[in-house]
Amino acid sequence: MTAQEVRLCGLLLREHFGEVVEKVGTHLLRSGAQNLRTIIHETGISLDLVKKSLCVLVQHGACVFSSGRKGPGSPTEYQASSDRILRILRYPRYIYTAKTLYGDTGEIIIEELLQRGHMTMSSNVKTVADRLTQNMEEGRSMDYSEVSSAFSNLVETHFLQRCPPLAGLGTTDASTPATPATPANPTTPSFPDCYKVPHMTLIGRGKRQLSSEDGEEQRNAKKAKLDSDTHGDEGIYWQVNFERFHLHFRDQAIISAVANKLDQTSSEIVRTMLRMSEVTTSPTATCTKPLSANEIFRSLPSSYNIPRPILDQYLTLLVDDPMEFVGKAGESGGGMYVVNLHRALANLARATLESVVQERFGSRSARIFRLLLRKRHLEQKQVEDFAMIPAKEAKDMLYTLLSQNLVQLQEIPKTPDYAPSRTFYLYTVNQLPTARMLLQNCYKTVANLIERRLYETKESKRLLEKSQRIEAILASLQASGAEPEQLTEVEEMITAPEKQQLEALRLHINKLDSAENQVDETIFLLESYVNSTATPAS
C-alpha cells in the first residue's frame, strides 16, 4: 500500500460517501485490521458515526470483517480493501459496457447495484422498472419480466454474481436468510450457487413517481406495502462481478491492438478465439485452451465470409507476428492455436511504456528506450551506434532516462576492486519495476485530476447552486403550463457573463472527467500486466 494509493482511495471515498467515511477508510488502509474500540480511539470519531461508516464500507465490499486475532471471543476486526475502493474509479466504464452489451436496462441494473453495493433481485428489478417507466411516454410502462430477463442474462454471462454467505451462518435459503458478505477473492473457486437465479414471484409493471406533494403519504404507504411483500428471493443478495468485467476489458484491449497492428479481419479471428475460450479458460491462465483451425472456421461470423485457405494464411500471419498475440500449440485438426494472454498483456504494457517515454522525452529517447527493451543490455557506445544518435545527445538522453528511473545502469567489474577503468557499465530496462513505477504515477495523476475538479466545483459553488435553483423553477413552471413570457423572465435571472462562466466550467469539468477515464485505461493495462506476472499459471 503506497502513499499515492491511500491518497487516491481517500479522495474516492470522500467524493462518493463523504468526509467521515473517508477518514475511517483511510485510517484502516494505513493501520491494517483493527477492532471497533481502537478505530474510535485513534480517529476521534463518535461510536455512532464509526458504525455507520463501517456499514457503508462493508455494504460496498470496501471493508471485510473477521473474528479477532486473539482467538474465539475477541472483538471483531475490520480491514479496508484498497483494490475494491480503487474500482470506484472504473464505475463509469462498467456502466457504459453494460449499456453497450445489454442496452438501457442492463445499464441501469449495473448502475443501481454499484450505487447500493448489493441488492436482492426483486428490489433491483422494481427499482430499474420504475426508473425506465419514468422516462417513457405517458401511458407506457416497463414490465418486471423484461427487467428480470435482462438481469438473468447478466447473471448467465457472469457479470453479476451472488454475494457469498458469511461463514457459520448456514445455508442461504428463504428460511435462513444470510447476511451478504464482501466479494470473495476472484482467484478462489466460487461457491456452488454463485450464478443460480432464484425463482422470483414478482408480477407487474413499473410505476411512475407521484409529482404532487399531496401524494407523499400515499407514496410512503405504497413503499411500505411493497417492502413487506415477499417474492421468494429474500436473503439472496447480488453484486457486480468486477473480475468478469476486467476479463472483458482485457479481451477488448487485445482485439483492439490486433486491429491496429494488422487489420480488422485478424482482430475478428482473435475475437472469435477469445469468445470460444471464455468458458473453458481460467481467469489467471497464461493462454487460452488450444482451438483447432476447423473449430475457429466454423465459429467465425458468417458476415465475414472468410474462405478456409485465407483463414490459414491469417492464422500463420498472427503466429509469425513479433507481438505473439497468437501461438501454435499443435498440428491436429488443421493446426491448434492459442491466444497468449500474458504475453499480450506484457506487449501492451511495453507499448504503453514506450508511448510515455515518447510523449515526455521525444522520439529519439523513445528509440533508445525501445532499443534497450529489445537488446536487454548495451554499453553507451553500443547505444550510440545502434540508435544512430550523436554521442553527446545519446549521453544526455540516457542520463535523463536514468534520472527518471526509466533506465537502469548495471555495473559488471572485471576485478574485485570495482575500478572504473576495469568495469563494464551496461544500460538496461527492467519492464516490471518500470511498469509499477508508472502505475504509481498514474494513481498520482488521477488524484490530482480529482482534486482539481473538486476545487473548480467549490470555487463556483454559488453559481452552480443558482443555476440548479433556476432549472428547478423552470421545470416546475413548464409542468404547470406557464406562459412563455414567465419562462423567459426566469431564464434572464442568469446574466450573460454568468452563462459564459457556467459553460466554461462545464467544459473544464468534462475535460477533467475525460482525462480521468483515459488515465484509468492505462491503469487497467498496467495493473493487469503486474497481476499477470505475480499470478502463477493455472
Side-chain angles (χ1 to χ4, degrees):
M1 174 62 59
T2 64
Q4 294 302 338
E5 285 178 86
V6 174
R7 179 185 168 218
L8 179 54
C9 287
L11 285 165
L12 290 168
L13 289 174
R14 187 200 309 172
E15 193 173 13
H16 285 79
F17 307 118
E19 291 183 3
V20 179
V21 176
E22 176 206 2
K23 192 171 180 181
V24 173
T26 51
H27 174 74
L28 284 173
L29 287 172
R30 290 193 180 100
S31 308
Q34 288 193 333
N35 60 44
L36 186 60
R37 179 179 288 183
T38 310
I39 297 168
I40 294 165
H41 174 70
E42 293 186 3
T43 58
I45 303 172
S46 68
L47 171 64
D48 186 47
L49 286 176
V50 169
K51 280 184 175 179
K52 286 177 180 175
S53 298
L54 289 171
C55 280
V56 168
L57 291 170
V58 170
Q59 173 84 6
H60 287 268
C63 178
V64 294
F65 57 90
S66 57
S67 55
R69 286 168 285 186
K70 295 179 181 177
S74 59
T76 301
E77 292 186 336
Y78 300 87
Q79 185 167 9
S81 164
S82 62
D83 288 344
R84 181 60 188 81
I85 296 169
L86 290 172
R87 294 294 81 84
I88 296 173
L89 188 63
R90 214 161 283 155
Y91 278 8
R93 201 171 171 192
Y94 298 138
I95 293 168
Y96 179 73
T97 302
K99 183 181 177 71
T100 306
L101 296 175
Y102 296 98
D104 292 343
T105 309
E107 173 194 11
I108 299 176
I109 288 171
I110 295 294
E111 187 182 330
E112 285 293 329
L113 279 165
L114 290 174
Q115 282 182 347
R116 305 192 190 196
H118 52 248
M119 301 173 73
T120 61
M121 182 176 175
S122 56
S123 174
N124 183 275
V125 167
K126 282 189 284 188
T127 307
V128 171
D130 289 349
R131 279 186 61 182
L132 288 168
T133 300
Q134 197 69 24
N135 295 324
M136 287 181 169
E137 298 170 7
E138 197 66 42
R140 292 187 63 202
S141 59
M142 174 62 75
D143 197 298
Y144 287 156
S145 61
E146 290 183 48
V147 183
S148 297
S149 175
F151 193 101
S152 299
N153 288 338
L154 283 161
V155 174
E156 189 180 334
T157 49
H158 295 189
F159 285 106
L160 298 181
Q161 63 181 12
R162 285 193 191 188
C163 296
L166 287 179
L169 289 182
T171 57
T172 57
D173 58 20
S175 60
T176 57
T179 307
T182 51
N185 186 333
T187 59
T188 59
S190 302
F191 58 98
D193 293 337
C194 189
Y195 302 109
K196 183 180 177 183
V197 179
H199 177 68
M200 191 176 63
T201 57
L202 183 63
I203 302 168
R205 305 184 74 84
K207 297 172 181 62
R208 295 180 187 276
Q209 289 183 359
L210 298 174
S211 55
S212 65
E213 293 179 7
D214 301 334
E216 189 67 38
E217 290 181 15
Q218 190 181 348
R219 272 203 300 274
N220 291 338
K222 280 191 174 182
K223 189 173 187 300
K225 183 177 182 298
L226 281 171
D227 290 345
S228 65
D229 289 344
T230 56
H231 303 291
D233 68 336
E234 286 68 37
I236 300 173
Y237 291 88
W238 295 87
Q239 64 191 1
V240 175
N241 183 5
F242 297 108
E243 294 309 313
R244 178 64 183 87
F245 274 101
H246 292 169
L247 293 179
H248 178 77
F249 296 156
R250 180 199 67 189
D251 292 351
Q252 291 303 113
I254 293 172
I255 292 162
S256 176
V258 172
N260 292 334
K261 183 78 165 49
L262 300 171
D263 63 2
Q264 196 61 41
T265 307
S266 301
S267 72
E268 196 59 43
I269 292 168
V270 173
R271 185 198 303 275
T272 303
M273 292 175 71
L274 288 168
R275 193 178 66 244
M276 291 167 69
S277 308
E278 273 179 350
V279 180
T280 57
T281 304
S282 161
T284 55
T286 55
C287 56
T288 59
K289 296 290 183 187
L291 297 166
S292 70
N294 295 332
E295 289 176 309
I296 297 167
F297 180 69
R298 285 195 298 270
S299 300
L300 279 171
S302 55
S303 58
Y304 267 80
N305 196 23
I306 303 172
R308 178 59 198 272
I310 301 295
L311 173 65
D312 290 339
Q313 289 176 20
Y314 266 108
L315 287 169
T316 305
L317 180 69
L318 285 163
V319 170
D320 293 343
D321 188 77
M323 296 291 275
E324 299 182 38
F325 284 112
V326 174
K328 196 163 188 180
E331 297 297 335
S332 58
M336 302 295 286
Y337 297 90
V338 296
V339 179
N340 296 318
L341 301 172
H342 284 194
R343 197 166 294 169
L345 287 172
N347 281 321
L348 289 171
R350 172 184 286 200
T352 303
L353 295 176
E354 290 174 6
S355 173
V356 168
V357 173
Q358 178 152 340
E359 290 298 319
R360 287 185 64 188
F361 306 106
S363 58
R364 287 189 163 196
S365 294
R367 193 192 308 170
I368 291 172
F369 189 78
R370 276 194 293 270
L371 184 65
L372 290 172
L373 276 169
R374 288 193 177 92
K375 300 287 187 180
R376 299 300 179 109
H377 295 88
L378 290 174
E379 289 187 276
Q380 186 174 312
K381 183 71 173 66
Q382 292 175 305
V383 171
E384 295 162 10
D385 294 341
F386 285 133
M388 293 183 290
I389 296 173
K392 187 175 182 302
E393 287 183 39
K395 184 178 177 181
D396 287 345
M397 289 171 186
L398 278 169
Y399 288 179
T400 302
L401 292 172
L402 192 62
S403 68
Q404 297 292 322
N405 290 326
L406 292 163
V407 166
Q408 289 75 41
L409 187 62
Q410 189 171 345
E411 298 178 1
I412 303 179
K414 294 180 187 176
T415 54
D417 60 356
Y418 278 81
S421 59
R422 292 186 295 277
T423 301
F424 292 111
Y425 294 94
L426 302 179
Y427 289 94
T428 184
V429 174
N430 295 326
Q431 186 170 321
L432 184 57
T434 307
R436 285 201 180 103
M437 183 192 71
L438 182 58
L439 185 57
Q440 295 305 316
N441 289 346
C442 288
Y443 290 144
K444 183 179 179 179
T445 303
V446 175
N448 289 344
L449 287 166
I450 293 173
E451 283 194 335
R452 184 67 199 179
R453 179 159 49 77
L454 293 173
Y455 172 78
E456 294 278 349
T457 309
K458 188 179 176 183
E459 285 292 296
S460 305
K461 187 179 178 183
R462 185 197 61 80
L463 187 58
L464 287 169
E465 286 175 351
K466 182 180 177 181
S467 172
Q468 287 169 357
R469 281 199 305 272
I470 290 169
E471 283 175 7
I473 293 167
L474 283 170
S476 178
L477 288 172
Q478 284 170 347
S480 59
E483 296 293 324
E485 291 79 9
Q486 282 180 288
L487 298 175
T488 308
E489 190 179 335
V490 173
E491 284 173 357
E492 287 173 353
M493 289 168 68
I494 293 188
T495 62
E498 285 178 331
K499 283 181 181 175
Q500 285 182 350
Q501 192 179 339
L502 272 173
E503 189 58 38
L505 176 67
R506 288 195 182 107
L507 190 64
H508 199 185
I509 296 294
N510 286 342
K511 280 184 181 177
L512 291 170
D513 283 337
S514 177
E516 275 180 49
N517 292 332
Q518 287 172 353
V519 177
D520 181 57
E521 288 182 22
T522 305
I523 288 174
F524 172 73
L525 272 179
L526 295 174
E527 276 183 347
S528 300
Y529 165 61
V530 170
N531 291 339
S532 73
T533 59
T535 308
S538 57

